Amino acid sequence: MSPTAEKGPDRIPDVLIVGAGASGAVAAKRLAEGGFDVVCLEQGGWPDYKKARAPFPDYELTSGRDWAWDPNARQVPADYPVDDSESDITALMWNGVGGGTVVFAAQWQRNMPSDFQVRSLDGIADDWPFTYEDLEPYYVRVERDWGVSGLAGDTAFPGGDGPPMPPVPLGRMGRRVAKAHNDLGWHWWPGPNAIATQRYGRLNPCTQRATCLWGCSEGAKASVDRTYWPVAVERGVTLLTGARVKRLIVGSDGLVTGALYVDRDGNEHVQQAAVTILACNGIGTPRLLLLSATSAQPHGLGNSSGLVGKRLMMHPFGTVVGLFDDDLDSWQGAWGQHIHSLEFYETDPSRGFVRGAKWGLQPTGGPLSMTHSYPWGEENAIWGPAFHQQLRKRLGRSAMWGIIAEDLPEESNRVVLDPVKKDDSGIPAARIQYRMSENSRRLMAFHQERAKESLEAAGAYETVIAPFIRATGWHLLGTAMMGSDPSRSVVDPWGRVYDVPNLYIFDGSTWPTSAGMNPTATIAAVALRGVDHLIAERRDARTSS
Amino acid sequence: MTSALARFDPGRRAALEAVANLLIPSGDGMPSASEAGVAGRWLDEVLRLRPDFGPPLAAVLDGLIGTDPEVALARLRSTDPAGFGVLAEVVAGGYFLNPKVRSAINYPGQQSVAIVPEQPPDYEQDGLIASVIARGPIYRPTPGRKRDR
């Protein structure tokens, strides 16, 4: 059976999902299991893993061609422009079946309990309308559905069930840094990853080629195009690719009746549904709400709070590299993370900033990566008489911490419609306005210094703090805030849009705060919690009608 | 010959060779960029794989022809970082496609290495994880709840 339908069904399904990334996949599969008739519209296509070149000599050279993360650089028909000229960070995404999970590093991080309670604990921003304990059962379920490897008992989290597969090996570099952290008395734990370490459902075991970010050629990385979507389609979900939604259609009663979409030939179609779910990421979802303004909701659909598009959070990202005398085999392994550390995650007011960051220990890549200005820095440029000596120092003998910094929600950081630029379907593009805060700058500087100390304690004879670069906006959060107060939030604690009762948002747009974690685990768990609630509500409605 | 390759006549290739050897000179038993063929066979291969590099590389090389390579390269780095980035990627990309170079730096490519479960697992060896557990939980619990360990 082909997993792609060429045109939409004539029937009116129970649920329309816009976007086939992480949250759309979780919703589609769960709804299909619950007996719901589902159609999903996805503007991109299926990933072409024939272009995943890990086993070949040209891998490093071609990975940036076929697996680029920046839609403005990639410019394939599935992409829409994102004007980032007024942003400190460039938004990265993958528009296609699987969404960002196709190119994510698969670092699978639950949020910690404090992430849901930053107002109560740190006196800043907003609490989430539920707790870690409320979400914990959903983490457990998605980790089993998804195919996650790791180890239960992490001392940075409450107890409970862990992932279904054992963790990826620490490897030589992981063991070295783990021992150093033990000497320092600092936290570390085997890295949780959405990477199969054994055969698991549709996933093959990881072969440690360290190419997770550029198309996993082995079928070991748990991206939802490999895990959820084939199951959802088998269970009857209709997934339409090349279907770009132009706007949602709103009836006279204020409910959404479906979506107007454009196919790759430029033909417009209407897909009706009883319920619509947006799963388009923190830029695509507010863009679509703003595009769907009506005379009754002239500032954007669901925007009576005025918060649609605002509070954009993208996680400033830092990297610190250590150079070691020993061969650490550091072009191989999961990428992914071998270990993570949450030692400095929690707020400590004496540091001069609030909140913190998560660290993930990663490989550094093959020889071509050793020549790049990131993470090595222009001041350490490899070119010239010292080229061969520098190459030998770096290749296989380096390890790096990737640092995910929590950024706080600010209404001035936002997504708006571009007044000029349009995508190739003639739909206004997105524009992002984002400035990194002083809190983020202080936070990052502190963490970079501690990460340097970590690598030095592990025996690094030299460390490099990577320069700040803009192209790190993998995590797009906060632009349709969830909360219990309709005047100060776009969606309720279950993802339902306050102003439009049959419209739901299940992607990272709904996050009240950003945490300092890779977000996919929590996006998936929150989506599952929301869709479970939606199913229960609709069953009640059917029973009572 | 593809259109991308057609753009690279001997004049441009000579210009590439001159600056490429400044980026990757010979030494430490390793060949220079030109000795490794980055302006010849491996340029053809790079452009076959990355035809998108063709136009910006041609523009960069046209600016280098007839100039002192060292001066021109320094100017390119300071005034056109994107152009320099393409030039550097073509030179290093071609260099590392050469199997002799890969062999000399002991880089076999991204190898398939099966995960073989160790007993005990590596995180348990030498008391590694026991030390973390002994230090106890580090998270702040949800208000109103106690740490459960």
Side-chain angles (χ1 to χ4, degrees), chain B residues 5 7-21 24 32-47 57 61 87 90-96 98:
Chain B
L5 292 181
R7 282 193 286 268
F8 292 90
D9 57 21
R12 283 180 175 157
R13 288 177 189 257
L16 174 61
E17 204 160 74
V19 289
N21 284 343
I24 308 180
S32 68
S34 65
E35 288 165 350
V38 302
R41 175 185 172 188
W42 299 110
L43 173 64
D44 297 347
E45 183 65 1
V46 168
L47 293 174
L57 179 66
L61 295 179
L87 173 69
V90 168
V91 170
Y95 192 74
F96 293 127
N98 185 325

Short mmCIF file of all heavy atoms in Angstrom, two decimals, chain B residues 5 7-21 24 32-47 57 61 87 90-96 98:
data_model
loop_
_atom_site.label_atom_id
_atom_site.label_comp_id
_atom_site.label_asym_id
_atom_site.label_seq_id
_atom_site.Cartn_x
_atom_site.Cartn_y
_atom_site.Cartn_z
N LEU B 5 30.83 22.07 -14.80
CA LEU B 5 32.23 21.82 -15.10
C LEU B 5 32.72 22.71 -16.24
O LEU B 5 33.88 23.13 -16.26
CB LEU B 5 32.45 20.36 -15.47
CG LEU B 5 32.26 19.37 -14.32
CD1 LEU B 5 32.51 17.95 -14.82
CD2 LEU B 5 33.20 19.69 -13.19
N ARG B 7 32.27 25.61 -16.73
CA ARG B 7 32.68 26.93 -16.27
C ARG B 7 34.15 26.96 -15.82
O ARG B 7 34.68 28.02 -15.56
CB ARG B 7 31.79 27.38 -15.12
CG ARG B 7 30.43 27.89 -15.55
CD ARG B 7 29.76 28.59 -14.41
NE ARG B 7 29.29 27.66 -13.41
CZ ARG B 7 28.08 27.14 -13.40
NH1 ARG B 7 27.21 27.45 -14.32
NH2 ARG B 7 27.71 26.29 -12.45
N PHE B 8 34.75 25.81 -15.65
CA PHE B 8 36.08 25.79 -15.02
C PHE B 8 37.16 25.43 -16.03
O PHE B 8 37.59 24.29 -16.15
CB PHE B 8 36.05 24.87 -13.80
CG PHE B 8 35.20 25.47 -12.73
CD1 PHE B 8 33.85 25.18 -12.65
CD2 PHE B 8 35.74 26.38 -11.85
CE1 PHE B 8 33.05 25.80 -11.71
CE2 PHE B 8 34.94 27.00 -10.90
CZ PHE B 8 33.60 26.71 -10.83
N ASP B 9 37.57 26.49 -16.75
CA ASP B 9 38.61 26.34 -17.76
C ASP B 9 39.97 26.30 -17.07
O ASP B 9 40.07 26.49 -15.85
CB ASP B 9 38.51 27.49 -18.78
CG ASP B 9 38.61 28.85 -18.10
OD1 ASP B 9 39.15 28.92 -16.97
OD2 ASP B 9 38.16 29.83 -18.70
N PRO B 10 41.05 26.07 -17.86
CA PRO B 10 42.38 25.98 -17.23
C PRO B 10 42.76 27.22 -16.43
O PRO B 10 43.46 27.11 -15.42
CB PRO B 10 43.31 25.78 -18.45
CG PRO B 10 42.44 25.10 -19.46
CD PRO B 10 41.08 25.69 -19.28
N GLY B 11 42.32 28.39 -16.86
CA GLY B 11 42.66 29.61 -16.11
C GLY B 11 42.09 29.59 -14.72
O GLY B 11 42.78 29.90 -13.73
N ARG B 12 40.84 29.22 -14.59
CA ARG B 12 40.21 29.15 -13.26
C ARG B 12 40.84 28.04 -12.44
O ARG B 12 41.02 28.18 -11.23
CB ARG B 12 38.71 28.93 -13.40
CG ARG B 12 37.94 30.20 -13.79
CD ARG B 12 36.46 29.90 -13.91
NE ARG B 12 35.70 31.11 -14.17
CZ ARG B 12 34.51 31.12 -14.72
NH1 ARG B 12 33.95 29.97 -15.10
NH2 ARG B 12 33.86 32.24 -14.91
N ARG B 13 41.13 26.94 -13.09
CA ARG B 13 41.73 25.82 -12.34
C ARG B 13 43.12 26.20 -11.82
O ARG B 13 43.50 25.82 -10.71
CB ARG B 13 41.79 24.56 -13.21
CG ARG B 13 40.41 23.95 -13.42
CD ARG B 13 40.44 22.74 -14.35
NE ARG B 13 39.08 22.35 -14.68
CZ ARG B 13 38.44 21.31 -14.15
NH1 ARG B 13 39.02 20.56 -13.25
NH2 ARG B 13 37.20 21.04 -14.49
N ALA B 14 43.85 26.96 -12.61
CA ALA B 14 45.17 27.40 -12.16
C ALA B 14 45.03 28.33 -10.95
O ALA B 14 45.80 28.26 -9.99
CB ALA B 14 45.91 28.10 -13.30
N ALA B 15 44.04 29.21 -11.03
CA ALA B 15 43.79 30.13 -9.90
C ALA B 15 43.41 29.33 -8.66
O ALA B 15 43.86 29.63 -7.54
CB ALA B 15 42.70 31.12 -10.27
N LEU B 16 42.59 28.31 -8.86
CA LEU B 16 42.18 27.48 -7.72
C LEU B 16 43.39 26.76 -7.13
O LEU B 16 43.55 26.72 -5.90
CB LEU B 16 41.13 26.46 -8.18
CG LEU B 16 40.71 25.43 -7.14
CD1 LEU B 16 40.08 26.11 -5.92
CD2 LEU B 16 39.70 24.42 -7.74
N GLU B 17 44.23 26.23 -7.99
CA GLU B 17 45.40 25.49 -7.53
C GLU B 17 46.28 26.39 -6.64
O GLU B 17 46.75 25.98 -5.58
CB GLU B 17 46.19 25.02 -8.74
CG GLU B 17 47.04 23.82 -8.49
CD GLU B 17 47.40 23.13 -9.80
OE1 GLU B 17 48.24 23.68 -10.53
OE2 GLU B 17 46.82 22.06 -10.09
N ALA B 18 46.46 27.63 -7.10
CA ALA B 18 47.35 28.54 -6.37
C ALA B 18 46.83 28.83 -4.97
O ALA B 18 47.58 28.76 -3.99
CB ALA B 18 47.49 29.84 -7.16
N VAL B 19 45.54 29.13 -4.85
CA VAL B 19 45.03 29.45 -3.50
C VAL B 19 44.82 28.18 -2.69
O VAL B 19 44.97 28.19 -1.46
CB VAL B 19 43.73 30.27 -3.55
CG1 VAL B 19 44.00 31.69 -4.03
CG2 VAL B 19 42.65 29.60 -4.37
N ALA B 20 44.51 27.08 -3.35
CA ALA B 20 44.30 25.83 -2.62
C ALA B 20 45.56 25.40 -1.89
O ALA B 20 45.51 24.89 -0.77
CB ALA B 20 43.83 24.73 -3.58
N ASN B 21 46.71 25.63 -2.53
CA ASN B 21 47.98 25.25 -1.89
C ASN B 21 48.33 26.15 -0.71
O ASN B 21 49.12 25.76 0.14
CB ASN B 21 49.10 25.25 -2.92
CG ASN B 21 49.03 24.03 -3.81
OD1 ASN B 21 48.35 23.05 -3.47
ND2 ASN B 21 49.70 24.09 -4.94
N ILE B 24 45.92 24.39 1.92
CA ILE B 24 46.44 23.08 2.30
C ILE B 24 47.78 22.87 1.61
O ILE B 24 47.86 22.35 0.49
CB ILE B 24 45.47 21.93 1.91
CG1 ILE B 24 44.06 22.21 2.44
CG2 ILE B 24 45.99 20.60 2.45
CD1 ILE B 24 43.03 21.12 2.11
N SER B 32 50.07 18.37 -0.86
CA SER B 32 49.36 19.64 -0.92
C SER B 32 48.01 19.43 -1.63
O SER B 32 47.76 18.37 -2.21
CB SER B 32 50.17 20.68 -1.69
OG SER B 32 50.22 20.28 -3.06
N ALA B 33 47.20 20.47 -1.60
CA ALA B 33 45.89 20.38 -2.25
C ALA B 33 46.05 20.07 -3.73
O ALA B 33 45.34 19.20 -4.27
CB ALA B 33 45.12 21.68 -2.04
N SER B 34 46.97 20.77 -4.39
CA SER B 34 47.09 20.53 -5.84
C SER B 34 47.67 19.16 -6.11
O SER B 34 47.26 18.48 -7.06
CB SER B 34 47.92 21.63 -6.50
OG SER B 34 49.25 21.58 -6.03
N GLU B 35 48.62 18.73 -5.29
CA GLU B 35 49.18 17.38 -5.47
C GLU B 35 48.10 16.32 -5.29
O GLU B 35 48.15 15.25 -5.89
CB GLU B 35 50.32 17.14 -4.47
CG GLU B 35 51.59 17.92 -4.80
CD GLU B 35 52.58 17.98 -3.64
OE1 GLU B 35 52.22 17.57 -2.51
OE2 GLU B 35 53.70 18.46 -3.86
N ALA B 36 47.11 16.62 -4.45
CA ALA B 36 46.02 15.66 -4.24
C ALA B 36 44.95 15.75 -5.32
O ALA B 36 44.02 14.95 -5.32
CB ALA B 36 45.39 15.89 -2.86
N GLY B 37 45.07 16.75 -6.20
CA GLY B 37 44.15 16.82 -7.33
C GLY B 37 42.89 17.63 -7.10
O GLY B 37 41.89 17.43 -7.79
N VAL B 38 42.92 18.60 -6.17
CA VAL B 38 41.69 19.34 -5.89
C VAL B 38 41.29 20.29 -7.02
O VAL B 38 40.14 20.72 -7.07
CB VAL B 38 41.76 20.13 -4.56
CG1 VAL B 38 42.04 19.23 -3.40
CG2 VAL B 38 42.76 21.25 -4.65
N ALA B 39 42.25 20.62 -7.91
CA ALA B 39 41.87 21.48 -9.04
C ALA B 39 41.62 20.66 -10.31
O ALA B 39 41.30 21.23 -11.35
CB ALA B 39 42.96 22.52 -9.29
N GLY B 40 41.78 19.36 -10.21
CA GLY B 40 41.59 18.49 -11.36
C GLY B 40 40.45 17.52 -11.14
O GLY B 40 39.29 17.92 -11.05
N ARG B 41 40.82 16.26 -11.00
CA ARG B 41 39.80 15.20 -10.90
C ARG B 41 38.82 15.45 -9.76
O ARG B 41 37.62 15.26 -9.89
CB ARG B 41 40.52 13.88 -10.68
CG ARG B 41 39.57 12.72 -10.44
CD ARG B 41 40.32 11.45 -10.10
NE ARG B 41 39.37 10.43 -9.68
CZ ARG B 41 39.72 9.25 -9.18
NH1 ARG B 41 41.00 8.94 -9.08
NH2 ARG B 41 38.80 8.39 -8.81
N TRP B 42 39.36 15.92 -8.63
CA TRP B 42 38.47 16.04 -7.46
C TRP B 42 37.61 17.29 -7.52
O TRP B 42 36.54 17.33 -6.91
CB TRP B 42 39.27 15.93 -6.16
CG TRP B 42 39.95 14.59 -6.09
CD1 TRP B 42 41.28 14.33 -6.19
CD2 TRP B 42 39.30 13.30 -6.01
NE1 TRP B 42 41.52 12.97 -6.17
CE2 TRP B 42 40.32 12.32 -6.06
CE3 TRP B 42 37.97 12.88 -5.92
CZ2 TRP B 42 40.05 10.94 -5.99
CZ3 TRP B 42 37.69 11.53 -5.86
CH2 TRP B 42 38.72 10.58 -5.90
N LEU B 43 38.05 18.29 -8.28
CA LEU B 43 37.14 19.43 -8.51
C LEU B 43 35.95 18.95 -9.34
O LEU B 43 34.80 19.29 -9.04
CB LEU B 43 37.87 20.56 -9.24
CG LEU B 43 36.95 21.72 -9.68
CD1 LEU B 43 36.34 22.42 -8.46
CD2 LEU B 43 37.70 22.73 -10.54
N ASP B 44 36.24 18.14 -10.35
CA ASP B 44 35.14 17.62 -11.17
C ASP B 44 34.16 16.84 -10.29
O ASP B 44 32.94 16.97 -10.44
CB ASP B 44 35.69 16.69 -12.27
CG ASP B 44 36.61 17.42 -13.24
OD1 ASP B 44 36.62 18.66 -13.22
OD2 ASP B 44 37.30 16.73 -14.01
N GLU B 45 34.70 16.05 -9.40
CA GLU B 45 33.83 15.23 -8.56
C GLU B 45 33.04 16.09 -7.57
O GLU B 45 31.84 15.86 -7.34
CB GLU B 45 34.67 14.19 -7.81
CG GLU B 45 33.90 13.21 -6.95
CD GLU B 45 32.98 12.28 -7.74
OE1 GLU B 45 32.94 12.38 -8.98
OE2 GLU B 45 32.26 11.48 -7.08
N VAL B 46 33.70 17.08 -6.99
CA VAL B 46 32.99 17.97 -6.06
C VAL B 46 31.84 18.67 -6.77
O VAL B 46 30.72 18.75 -6.26
CB VAL B 46 33.96 19.01 -5.44
CG1 VAL B 46 33.18 20.11 -4.72
CG2 VAL B 46 34.93 18.33 -4.48
N LEU B 47 32.11 19.16 -7.97
CA LEU B 47 31.06 19.88 -8.69
C LEU B 47 29.95 18.96 -9.20
O LEU B 47 28.81 19.38 -9.35
CB LEU B 47 31.66 20.69 -9.84
CG LEU B 47 32.57 21.84 -9.39
CD1 LEU B 47 33.24 22.48 -10.58
CD2 LEU B 47 31.77 22.88 -8.61
N LEU B 57 31.73 29.57 -6.80
CA LEU B 57 33.17 29.29 -6.92
C LEU B 57 33.74 30.01 -8.13
O LEU B 57 34.83 30.60 -8.07
CB LEU B 57 33.41 27.78 -7.03
CG LEU B 57 34.88 27.38 -7.19
CD1 LEU B 57 35.68 27.74 -5.94
CD2 LEU B 57 35.02 25.90 -7.50
N LEU B 61 36.84 32.66 -8.10
CA LEU B 61 38.08 32.43 -8.86
C LEU B 61 38.32 33.55 -9.87
O LEU B 61 39.48 33.96 -10.09
CB LEU B 61 38.02 31.07 -9.56
CG LEU B 61 37.99 29.87 -8.62
CD1 LEU B 61 37.91 28.57 -9.40
CD2 LEU B 61 39.21 29.85 -7.70
N LEU B 87 34.88 28.37 -1.31
CA LEU B 87 36.23 27.99 -1.77
C LEU B 87 36.83 26.94 -0.84
O LEU B 87 37.35 25.91 -1.29
CB LEU B 87 37.12 29.24 -1.82
CG LEU B 87 38.60 28.99 -2.12
CD1 LEU B 87 38.79 28.53 -3.57
CD2 LEU B 87 39.43 30.25 -1.85
N VAL B 90 35.13 23.54 -1.15
CA VAL B 90 35.52 22.85 -2.40
C VAL B 90 36.92 22.25 -2.25
O VAL B 90 37.16 21.09 -2.62
CB VAL B 90 35.45 23.82 -3.59
CG1 VAL B 90 36.11 23.21 -4.83
CG2 VAL B 90 34.00 24.19 -3.89
N VAL B 91 37.84 23.04 -1.69
CA VAL B 91 39.22 22.57 -1.57
C VAL B 91 39.30 21.40 -0.59
O VAL B 91 39.83 20.32 -0.92
CB VAL B 91 40.14 23.73 -1.13
CG1 VAL B 91 41.53 23.20 -0.76
CG2 VAL B 91 40.24 24.77 -2.24
N ALA B 92 38.77 21.60 0.61
CA ALA B 92 38.86 20.53 1.62
C ALA B 92 37.98 19.34 1.23
O ALA B 92 38.36 18.18 1.43
CB ALA B 92 38.45 21.06 2.99
N GLY B 93 36.80 19.64 0.65
CA GLY B 93 35.91 18.55 0.23
C GLY B 93 36.57 17.67 -0.80
O GLY B 93 36.51 16.44 -0.74
N GLY B 94 37.23 18.29 -1.78
CA GLY B 94 37.93 17.52 -2.80
C GLY B 94 39.13 16.77 -2.23
O GLY B 94 39.38 15.60 -2.57
N TYR B 95 39.84 17.42 -1.35
CA TYR B 95 41.03 16.82 -0.72
C TYR B 95 40.66 15.53 0.00
O TYR B 95 41.31 14.50 -0.16
CB TYR B 95 41.63 17.83 0.25
CG TYR B 95 43.01 17.49 0.77
CD1 TYR B 95 44.13 17.63 -0.04
CD2 TYR B 95 43.18 17.09 2.09
CE1 TYR B 95 45.40 17.35 0.45
CE2 TYR B 95 44.45 16.82 2.59
CZ TYR B 95 45.56 16.94 1.76
OH TYR B 95 46.81 16.66 2.26
N PHE B 96 39.57 15.58 0.75
CA PHE B 96 39.19 14.41 1.55
C PHE B 96 38.41 13.36 0.75
O PHE B 96 38.11 12.29 1.27
CB PHE B 96 38.40 14.84 2.79
CG PHE B 96 39.23 15.62 3.78
CD1 PHE B 96 38.81 16.86 4.23
CD2 PHE B 96 40.44 15.12 4.23
CE1 PHE B 96 39.57 17.59 5.13
CE2 PHE B 96 41.22 15.84 5.14
CZ PHE B 96 40.78 17.09 5.59
N ASN B 98 39.84 12.21 -1.93
CA ASN B 98 40.97 11.42 -2.45
C ASN B 98 41.27 10.25 -1.51
O ASN B 98 41.61 10.45 -0.34
CB ASN B 98 42.20 12.34 -2.56
CG ASN B 98 43.38 11.64 -3.21
OD1 ASN B 98 43.59 10.44 -3.02
ND2 ASN B 98 44.15 12.40 -3.98
#
